[in-house]
Structure formats: C-alpha cells, structure tokens
Amino acid sequence: MSDDSQHRPLRTFGRIKSRPIKPRQAALFDTLMPQVQLPDPRSGPLDPAALMPGAAEVWLEIGFGGGEHLAAQAARHPGVLMIGCEPFLNGVASALRHIEEGGLKNVRLHPDDARDVIAALPLASLDRVLILFPDPWHKARHNKRRLLNDDTARDLADRLKPGGQLRFVTDWHDYAEWALERLDRTPGLMRIGDTADWHAAPPDHVVTRYEEKKLGDTAPIFLDYEKRV
Ligand SMILES: C[S@@+](CC[C@H](N)C(=O)[O-])C[C@H]1O[C@@H](n2cnc3c(N)ncnc32)[C@H](O)[C@@H]1O
C-alpha cells in the first residue's frame, strides 16, 4: 500500500514485499484469497455477522506476519471468526498456505492496513484484539510511526465488547512502557495482571515467528487489558 497522505500520512509498517512469492503460494491469491478476503473496508462498514454467520466470537489480529499465530488460534477456536490484517504480501501468502493446509474456514484476511478495518467495524463488535510484536520503530524520530498510539488505543477500546480483551506484546522495553502509558490512560480499558510479571506468557499464547528471532532488547512483555463499561 502506498502512503495515503490525504488522511494518513504515516505508515506504521515497513516493506510490503520481499523475496518472490513461490508459485504455489502465488496461486492461492487467485484461488483462496477471493474466498477469505474481507470486503474493502474503505467502501463501507463491515458487518462481522455477515462475514461468518453464527460465529461465537470475533477476534482481530493486527500485523499477523506469516500467519502462524492466526492459523493456530483459528484451529483451536473453529467457532470464532478470526480477522487478520497484514500489508506484507509475503506474509499474506504464507497465511493463505496455513489456511489451506489447516482447512480453516473461520479466517478472513485484509491484506493491508488494519486501521481501515478498525474504522469500518461497528462499536462493541470485537471479543479480542491481538497486537503481537508490532514494528518497534524504536529510534526516537520514528516513534510517531508506532501502531499503538492514543488514537488507535481509543478506536480499539471502542470496538471491544464489554469484557472483551486486548493483548499487546513486544520485545522492546521502551515500546512496552510507551504502550502501557497509552493503554492505561485509554477510557474503558483496565489492565489485567501486574507489570511485576509482565514477562510471563499467558497460557493461550502461541509463539510467533518474529518472537523466535529475538530481535528486541528484552524478553517478550505481555500487556493484557479488558474492556470495562
Ligand atoms: C515485526 S512484525 C511481527 C509479525 C507477527 N505478529 C509476528 O510476531 O511474527 C510486525 C508486522 O505488523 C505489520 N503491520 C504494521 N503496521 C500495520 C498496520 N497498520 N496494519 C496491519 N499490519 C501492520 C507489518 O507489516 C509486520 O508484518
């Protein structure tokens, strides 16, 4: 996606393509993608009930990378509609392969900026939001590109149902503190757990590909929040 300077001058993600996509994965863009792609969120509101009638819950994963976590959670929770957003096309190709290999019927993808999906979702429509190892943008002059800021925190809180949960995970210490400060001051969000044990992975966490690379400056830090009315 190119920068849309009309309403969003700053990109929160880096490259959208790296190595050539393998032919088998490229073919999935023609065969599987039309079945799982979300309607264009810029064209109008999204109705989760229409995306998967009868879904028990609706989860949103922002920046799913290669889709390993998204696919694992979708397999664990077949009754849950899993919406995944990721502009990095090699990652989308990988996710399509996971969806095909797992025979997953409950995943829907938006191969672009999650902020458009968030804006198009109804208020109080999400049960869970997962932001796992977002691009750290750790140089001070790049901090403004961070996905988590007061605006996205508020928009996500507004889209969580009462009792819904948001998980933010990073292995960059200053991003954890940045996120903690902003999420703590977001109306309606209440932190679950204690910063004393913020390195303890929650039991339902699935290790991600980025996490395995250990590129950050600390062990993963988990911040879980609940939406209170
Ligand atoms: C560091 S990677 C981590 C990927 C994956 N969550 C993992 O842990 O393996 C962060 C990902 O977030 C994606 N991303 C950044 N900004 C985004 C946005 N606004 N909407 C959706 N995805 C975004 C990037 O393209 C990148 O693939």
Side-chain angles (χ1 to χ4, degrees):
M1 188 187 120
S2 59
D3 277 350
D4 180 350
S5 54
Q6 283 191 330
H7 81 294
R8 185 182 305 123
L10 285 180
R11 261 168 62 151
T12 58
F13 44 89
R15 59 193 181 163
I16 59 166
K17 194 159 186 283
S18 59
R19 59 190 185 283
I21 294 173
K22 292 178 193 142
R24 198 183 129 224
Q25 290 188 11
L28 290 174
F29 277 97
D30 296 326
T31 55
L32 184 55
M33 193 62 171
Q35 299 170 41
V36 302
Q37 185 164 356
L38 281 189
D40 182 356
R42 292 195 190 200
S43 300
L46 292 171
D47 176 8
L51 297 172
M52 182 175 150
E57 294 189 4
V58 184
W59 296 16
L60 172 68
E61 182 170 340
I62 300 175
F64 58 68
E68 292 80 16
H69 178 276
L70 185 73
Q73 295 289 7
R76 281 184 189 176
H77 305 282
V80 171
L81 167 61
M82 301 278 176
I83 301 175
C85 303
E86 176 54 68
F88 181 52
L89 293 180
N90 299 73
V92 177
S94 163
L96 287 171
R97 182 173 54 80
H98 289 301
I99 293 169
E100 188 198 37
E101 288 177 358
L104 302 171
K105 304 290 180 216
N106 54 331
V107 182
R108 300 292 178 274
L109 302 181
H110 177 59
D112 210 328
D113 197 319
R115 291 171 294 183
D116 293 324
V117 171
I118 298 165
L121 282 168
L123 301 181
S125 60
L126 296 174
D127 295 276
R128 289 196 76 178
V129 173
L130 297 141
I131 307 172
L132 308 178
F133 304 93
D135 294 295
W137 298 114
H138 54 86
K139 289 182 185 155
R141 70 177 189 278
H142 290 150
N143 284 175
K144 56 185 180 292
R145 293 191 178 276
R146 287 177 164 172
L147 174 75
L148 200 286
N149 57 36
D150 285 315
D151 291 341
T152 44
R154 187 203 55 237
D155 289 347
L156 287 168
D158 287 348
R159 270 131 193 108
L160 279 172
K161 295 176 187 171
Q165 295 191 2
L166 179 149
R167 174 169 299 158
F168 178 95
V169 190
T170 183
D171 55 5
W172 288 91
H173 191 269
D174 84 301
Y175 200 1
E177 291 197 322
W178 161 291
L180 184 71
E181 191 182 338
R182 284 153 184 79
L183 290 167
D184 275 359
R185 69 187 179 210
T186 300
L189 289 185
M190 190 69 75
R191 187 148 44 96
I192 313 166
D194 193 328
T195 42
D197 60 358
W198 66 358
H199 288 300
D204 62 342
H205 176 64
V206 175
V207 174
T208 76
R209 196 196 286 186
Y210 182 86
E211 178 176 1
E212 280 176 338
K213 293 182 183 170
K214 298 189 193 309
L215 297 174
D217 62 1
T218 183
I221 292 169
F222 296 83
L223 301 177
D224 277 344
Y225 286 78
E226 186 173 296
K227 175 72 183 288
R228 305 271 167 88
V229 263

